[in-house]
Amino acid sequence: MSARRIVGTLIAAALIVFGGYAALFIAPDEATMHAIQRIFYFHLPAWISMFTAFTVVFVANIGWLTARKQKWDSLGVSAAEVGVICCTIGLITGPLWARPVWGIWWTWDARLTTTFILWLLYISYLLLRGLLEDPERRATLSAIFGIFAFLDVPLVYLSNRLWRTQHPQPVILGGKGSGLDPTMAKVLLVCVIAVLAIMVFVLIDRYRLELLRREVEELQIEVELRSLDAPASGTSTTRKVQP
Amino acid sequence: MPFSVTTSRAAFILLGKELRLEFRTRELLTATIVFALVIVVLFSFAFDPTPAESRRYGPGLLWIAFLFAGSLMLHPSFAREQSNDTLDGLRMAPVSPFSILLGKMLANFIFLSLAEVVLVPVFAVLYNVSLSGIVGRLIVVLILGTLGIVITGTVFSAVSAHARMRELLLPLLLLPILAPLLIACVESTGSLFAEQPALDRTWLAFLAGFDIVFLTASWLLCDYLLEE
């Protein structure tokens, strides 16, 4: 581990610890929702991280199709996995918050539905990658699907917006989102930066892992090719029967 | 390329080939229609709707049946080429890749539309929905919705053709993408089935937008989609 990584990890850890402390103790009590509202300081950052990650997937998909560099494909799959994790966090913290406040776990509101569809789409993206054998083809075809999925997001949002116009606005981020308390806004900012930093660190780690995995795959192919070559070079016939 | 033909001409030649292939056996079309009918019948067992309820739930049921039928029917579009190794032949033809995709989209559009032509009257009879006076407007909705299904579906058929478990994969890829299309189709069909039938222009515009977005995307990405 390089010194830069250690420092970076420490900063991210300090940020998330401070963010957690600030969300629980510094941020003022919300007038109607009280303590449960504090989940917001992790719910919204998870959302922002998710959208960042999925935007990275989209950029990586286009990057692969235009440049054909393997790193773009590795970045795409890494960001998709991290994005799905952030999305899952958002989907878990959301109902936990909604149940005491709205009285229901789930509602088919535009935002919620869009996130849910987004989650399904990127799980399909990862599934598709798992089912394609040839690395080059896997990269290209999953990139095409990724671009289609990303294009679908605004359409999902728009369709739900048109469909469920009568639905009440989400409590904090509705039209009156500007009414956030200044201390709340500062705590929120810290939490957004903390969660984003962790997302980026996980993404970098996952990306490195993917690069290492590719290297292992290439080495394995090389080993197989050599073991195929060996009997042809006429060293010994007994080597063929080796397991 | 001295022998190149225009995209539209090549697409129509390919369309002719697809139609000839299908109407020799009609197996795809028959299976699709029967499958959609099974869904329609099963729904009536599951929900046992009154006439008022079938007006309320009918559009959703109808479009779910089309979506499921489409996601099954679109699979052979490229898988058939794959198993017979004929896709390479198509690729080598001196035509633009988009014409191959377009020809397949047109063929799938015709197949799915034919299935709908059979299914909609059967649905109207079984669920006591009156179609008089709304046929023309319903056709507009059906055309726009079917276009959306076949545009994305044909592209994903090419995507999933190379994968393992491809029969299972296509619906997994296709159905979430079609979620906004389903909402738009169900809402616009629902407003036609209401007591005072009306065509919702917002949803029609949305459907047209959906078709245009994904047709443009497939036009831009078809070179990568069909490369070897």
Side-chain angles (χ1 to χ4, degrees), chain A:
Chain A
M1 232 201 259
S2 69
R4 207 169 28 168
R5 287 218 50 212
I6 296 172
V7 173
T9 314
L10 283 178
I11 291 176
L15 269 173
I16 196 76
V17 169
F18 178 69
Y21 174 79
L24 289 177
F25 301 108
I26 297 179
D29 206 38
E30 210 271 341
T32 50
M33 293 183 279
H34 304 295
I36 186 66
Q37 183 266 339
R38 292 174 195 275
I39 205 170
F40 165 66
Y41 298 108
F42 293 94
H43 181 70
L44 184 75
W47 260 68
I48 293 175
S49 306
M50 174 194 80
F51 275 114
T52 316
F54 288 155
T55 311
V56 171
V57 179
F58 181 63
V59 172
N61 286 335
I62 291 178
W64 162 263
L65 288 181
T66 48
R68 298 288 160 149
K69 292 273 182 354
Q70 204 189 51
K71 59 176 186 183
W72 284 116
D73 184 47
S74 303
L75 183 66
V77 61
S78 313
E81 279 185 15
V82 175
V84 167
I85 298 288
C86 293
C87 194
T88 313
I89 294 174
L91 283 176
I92 291 171
T93 51
L96 281 181
W97 184 16
R99 174 70 190 165
V101 175
W102 293 346
I104 40 172
W105 292 107
W106 182 264
T107 170
W108 295 102
D109 159 68
R111 259 166 256 252
L112 280 71
T113 314
T114 310
T115 319
F116 196 40
I117 296 281
L118 206 59
W119 189 72
L120 288 174
L121 282 172
Y122 282 90
I123 285 182
S124 300
Y125 172 86
L126 293 173
L127 262 173
L128 170 68
R129 296 188 57 95
L131 294 172
L132 287 163
E133 304 276 356
D134 180 54
E136 188 109 346
R137 184 171 275 160
R138 175 173 61 209
T140 306
L141 293 180
S142 65
I144 291 170
F145 179 73
I147 292 171
F148 268 69
F150 198 77
L151 290 177
D152 202 42
V153 175
L155 292 171
V156 176
Y157 186 77
L158 182 64
S159 64
N160 278 281
R161 207 60 202 239
L162 289 170
W163 184 34
R164 300 272 186 199
T165 36
Q166 83 284 8
H167 190 273
Q169 286 288 310
V171 183
I172 292 286
L173 277 172
K176 59 182 180 82
S178 52
L180 208 62
D181 178 272
T183 320
M184 280 182 175
K186 276 176 205 150
V187 174
L188 184 63
L189 187 66
V190 171
C191 288
V192 168
I193 293 170
V195 174
L196 259 180
I198 287 176
M199 191 277 277
V200 170
F201 271 106
V202 174
L203 176 58
I204 290 170
D205 266 1
R206 179 64 185 83
Y207 175 63
R208 288 203 176 134
L209 179 68
E210 186 67 20
L211 292 185
L212 289 174
R213 239 182 226 174
R214 297 280 163 98
E215 212 178 314
V216 170
E217 261 171 38
E218 274 164 28
L219 288 174
Q220 267 170 346
I221 291 170
E222 202 171 308
V223 168
E224 273 168 31
L225 284 177
R226 280 193 191 170
S227 63
L228 277 179
D229 283 346
S233 61
T235 43
S236 144
T237 46
T238 51
R239 292 185 64 173
K240 278 183 192 167
V241 268
Q242 276 177 1

